[in-house]
Amino acid sequence: MKQARFLCATFQDLKFNDTLNYSQSSVKELGEMLKIQKLTYTQNKIGTVPRFRNELMYLKEYNKRDCVISKTFIEEFQKAINLLGGELKLTIASCGMDLFRRKYIPCTIYKEKFRCKEFIFSAYYGGRCEAFKRGKLPNKSHNEKGDNKYYYYYDFNSLYPSVMINKYPKPSSASQLKNSNGNINYRVIENYEGVSDVLIYCPYMKYPILPVSTRFKLLFPYGLIRGRYTHIELRYAIENGYILKKVYETVYYTKTFYPFKEYVEDLYKKRMEYKKSGNEVMQQVCKLLMNSLYGKFGSKTITDFTYMDLKNINYTDEELYGAQPINHDRNGIPRNAYKEEHKECEQAYVIPIFPAYVTSYGRIKLHKALVQLNAIYCDTDSIITETKIEESKELGELKLEATITTGYIIRPKMYAYKDINKKEYVTKIKGVNKANFKKMEDVLNDKSIEQIRFLKTKEAMRGNRKPNQIITQFKHVSVEDDKRKWKKKFNKNEFQDSQPIEFNGGKHK
């Protein structure tokens, strides 16, 4: 399992893989890519028992069409992977790793000679997502010159692949320094790549650079912070005003190399060629392979999930140890149980210094754009700004995704805007499926959102219900944001500015 979703499942002699392992596209989107139209079926009919024969027959055809789309997609996907020189594996990341090892690996890569995996993993942070201003976007239909003026949504062309062509530490050249007093020679950070545990001070700035990982979110504070960071990100922070106080531990590498340069450049070239020729499947496969490879090096845990039929199968005490009983009968005796086992991934490809550096390079590139464009919002590889720049289709450059006339920014991954080229609002509400502007209006008016969704497997099991059963629920979505400091509560009619949160030695001040 991966979080709440099955990656693969076995039942007797059958093995099931999920198409979401390869592409996050819906069946409808896969059908559009393959030019196979998905049949329509009203939302309130899905999940209900057909009342008439014609409904049953149509539902069968509806399901068959979905199966045809999924089957055709995976066949075409496998052909594409084979054509590029790889084999179909369990996930897109596994496919990328297989292709990389078959065709593009520049040399034999050996891991660090000493155990430092957990230390390096602690410097592996995710993407940056922040709202720097919030509320209703002020009307800027005309500026002082009388010209049209809008807001602009920019997106990086393959951000992570674009930084994978950079140099990376060579794992086999690693060394380690420790000092509980923090008196390690700072020049190690200046002269070598690696990861260091530091105490560092950030003066007040609108867009701080170094992240701090809390229990539920990633913050970018100013003040005195303690954390583990890659040397490329530490050097960039110091160049922009950070003051290094202490260095407690360092893993540094005396050699560097370019492990992913050929892989990215070749796949990006192929993607552009396939895009130009109209081969949507091949260009999508190239894109997915480029974006997914780096994360495979950061695989941390594997989850095995076992579903047990207690009524018909006799399990040993060892097999039942740690299992959660579910689906009790009238006498309170469980009919079934499930068990989860979390295992540390010990595969040879787990080399966390690679994904730690990929995401560091990505955040640095994003930060430079934040400062240049005076951003009012950002996500991992995108920015909303009032500044218009010349866009580019080159790898790693910014392209214009939307010209915004009006809209709302509320908090990270929660916004709605009107694109000058589209009739409907583009709406994003984290945790809400099929978000639209009507739901956004409910959020802005402090109303609960009604949504229809499928029950996930474990959630259904715990409630003695059927997986994938459709339920209707009402969800209240908060408009308050705790990733930045706001002077007052959210007001949908105001456009409010924010400040970064202040830290003092690793704690909120």
Side-chain angles (χ1 to χ4, degrees):
M1 295 192 71
K2 182 179 182 181
Q3 298 173 348
R5 185 173 71 80
F6 287 114
L7 288 176
C8 66
T10 55
F11 175 73
Q12 297 178 358
D13 295 330
L14 295 175
K15 185 174 181 179
F16 300 87
N17 288 359
D18 193 343
T19 58
L20 289 174
N21 294 352
Y22 308 106
S23 172
Q24 294 297 308
S25 303
S26 66
V27 176
K28 180 181 178 182
E29 291 168 335
L30 294 179
E32 291 171 350
M33 185 192 308
L34 299 166
K35 296 180 173 54
I36 304 174
Q37 186 175 359
K38 177 181 169 67
L39 298 181
T40 57
Y41 204 66
T42 56
Q43 186 68 47
N44 61 345
K45 293 282 187 181
I46 295 178
T48 61
V49 178
R51 295 175 298 169
F52 307 106
R53 178 175 172 78
N54 64 331
E55 284 187 2
L56 176 62
M57 297 306 294
Y58 186 81
L59 185 57
K60 285 182 177 180
E61 291 303 315
Y62 177 89
N63 287 328
K64 283 181 182 178
R65 180 65 61 86
D66 280 6
C67 291
V68 168
I69 291 172
S70 296
K71 175 178 179 290
T72 306
F73 164 73
I74 206 65
E75 289 174 342
E76 292 301 315
F77 188 88
Q78 183 169 14
K79 289 178 186 177
I81 293 291
N82 294 158
L83 185 61
L84 292 170
E87 292 291 336
L88 186 68
K89 300 296 181 180
L90 178 61
T91 66
I92 183 63
S94 299
C95 293
M97 180 63 72
D98 175 73
L99 180 63
F100 174 70
R101 294 170 79 169
R102 286 173 182 271
K103 288 186 62 178
Y104 298 101
I105 192 167
C107 60
T108 302
I109 300 174
Y110 297 97
K111 292 186 177 185
E112 295 86 355
K113 297 176 183 177
F114 52 92
R115 188 164 181 84
C116 57
K117 187 168 74 172
E118 287 305 314
F119 181 78
I120 297 171
F121 260 124
S122 62
Y124 178 18
Y125 303 96
R128 183 171 191 161
C129 185
E130 289 185 288
F132 305 107
K133 293 186 178 183
R134 68 179 185 182
K136 185 176 182 180
L137 296 174
N139 183 7
K140 293 202 172 186
S141 58
H142 295 85
N143 62 14
E144 61 275 8
K145 296 180 181 180
D147 302 322
N148 287 332
K149 187 174 182 183
Y150 306 102
Y151 298 89
Y152 305 96
Y153 187 112
Y154 289 103
D155 190 61
F156 283 95
N157 294 311
S158 303
L159 175 63
Y160 285 159
S162 75
V163 299
M164 288 172 67
I165 63 176
N166 297 341
K167 69 178 180 180
Y168 285 79
K170 201 166 191 175
S172 58
S173 69
S175 296
Q176 194 170 25
L177 293 171
K178 290 185 180 181
N179 190 313
S180 59
N181 296 321
N183 298 322
I184 295 176
N185 191 332
Y186 300 159
R187 281 181 292 181
V188 174
I189 295 175
E190 296 174 354
N191 297 324
Y192 298 102
E193 302 304 334
V195 169
S196 288
D197 180 7
V198 301
L199 183 68
I200 193 166
Y201 176 75
C202 172
Y204 178 83
M205 57 181 66
K206 185 175 181 179
Y207 308 109
I209 297 165
L210 296 180
V212 172
S213 182
T214 64
R215 187 178 178 186
F216 297 110
K217 53 188 173 292
L218 197 65
L219 301 177
F220 291 81
Y222 75 100
L224 192 64
I225 59 176
R226 170 83 183 264
R228 294 169 180 172
Y229 303 101
T230 62
H231 289 181
I232 184 70
E233 208 161 12
L234 282 173
R235 289 196 296 266
Y236 179 72
I238 292 169
E239 289 170 7
N240 284 274
Y242 278 67
I243 301 171
L244 191 62
K245 298 289 187 180
K246 291 181 180 294
V247 184
Y248 300 98
E249 184 175 355
T250 292
V251 173
Y252 68 98
Y253 301 80
T254 57
K255 296 180 181 179
T256 59
F257 69 143
Y258 295 83
F260 312 118
K261 185 177 175 64
E262 185 182 358
Y263 176 86
V264 170
E265 290 181 341
D266 190 37
L267 285 178
Y268 191 76
K269 180 182 177 182
K270 284 183 169 68
R271 183 193 170 196
M272 292 298 102
E273 290 171 354
Y274 288 127
K275 195 171 184 179
K276 188 175 181 180
S277 66
N279 191 331
E280 184 64 19
V281 174
M282 287 299 300
Q283 80 93 3
Q284 280 291 329
V285 170
C286 291
K287 177 182 177 181
L288 292 168
L289 288 170
M290 284 194 300
N291 285 320
S292 60
L293 173 64
Y294 85 92
K296 194 66 178 173
F297 291 98
S299 300
K300 203 168 186 181
T301 57
I302 299 169
T303 301
D304 284 339
F305 180 95
T306 306
Y307 181 77
M308 301 175 172
D309 181 357
L310 302 180
K311 286 290 185 180
N312 299 308
I313 303 175
N314 293 320
Y315 293 94
T316 65
D317 290 341
E318 184 179 356
E319 289 172 328
L320 288 171
Y321 181 76
Q324 300 293 320
I326 54 174
N327 297 337
H328 297 75
D329 61 19
R330 293 179 179 179
N331 297 319
I333 300 174
R335 297 187 182 95
N336 309 103
Y338 73 87
K339 182 166 67 173
E340 284 185 296
E341 295 180 273
H342 304 283
K343 306 172 185 177
E344 185 177 354
C345 186
E346 295 288 357
Q347 296 293 333
Y349 55 70
V350 179
I351 307 175
I353 193 64
F354 291 156
Y357 257 67
V358 169
T359 52
S360 291
Y361 276 128
R363 286 190 300 273
I364 290 171
K365 199 162 193 173
L366 178 65
H367 183 268
K368 290 178 179 178
L370 295 180
V371 175
Q372 176 193 354
L373 301 180
N374 193 25
I376 59 178
Y377 179 89
C378 78
D379 209 329
T380 302
D381 61 352
S382 58
I383 286 173
I384 297 178
T385 176
E386 299 177 54
T387 306
K388 187 174 184 180
I389 59 171
E390 186 175 344
E391 64 174 321
S392 172
K393 294 182 180 180
E394 295 299 316
L395 178 66
E397 298 300 317
L398 288 168
K399 66 177 182 294
L400 184 65
E401 283 292 309
T403 301
I404 301 171
T405 57
T406 186
Y408 294 89
I409 294 174
I410 300 178
R411 55 183 297 186
K413 297 188 184 297
M414 193 182 300
Y415 54 78
Y417 63 79
K418 192 70 175 293
D419 186 343
I420 194 172
N421 297 314
K422 295 182 180 178
K423 294 181 179 179
E424 302 295 330
Y425 275 85
V426 176
T427 306
K428 172 77 175 180
I429 308 174
K430 185 179 181 181
V432 174
N433 55 33
K434 297 186 183 299
N436 54 41
F437 193 65
K438 173 63 173 64
K439 292 180 179 179
M440 179 62 78
E441 287 179 318
D442 289 339
V443 171
L444 294 172
N445 293 320
D446 200 30
K447 294 180 181 179
S448 294
I449 294 175
E450 180 182 2
Q451 62 173 353
I452 298 171
R453 68 179 184 87
F454 293 92
L455 271 180
K456 294 180 180 178
T457 305
K458 287 189 291 183
E459 180 185 9
M461 288 179 175
R462 287 193 291 265
N464 287 339
R465 303 170 83 172
K466 294 181 179 180
N468 277 349
Q469 180 180 345
I470 289 182
I471 63 170
T472 300
Q473 68 172 186
F474 290 88
K475 182 174 184 177
H476 184 268
V477 180
S478 173
V479 295
E480 293 303 330
D481 172 28
D482 55 2
K483 294 186 75 170
R484 301 272 295 183
K485 186 176 180 181
W486 304 90
K487 293 182 179 178
K488 49 187 176 180
K489 289 188 175 182
F490 178 84
N491 185 330
K492 66 179 181 180
N493 296 315
E494 294 181 359
F495 197 47
Q496 302 171 343
D497 206 348
S498 70
Q499 296 178 338
I501 291 171
E502 184 179 3
F503 266 50
N504 184 12
K507 297 180 180 179
H508 287 268
K509 198 169 182 181

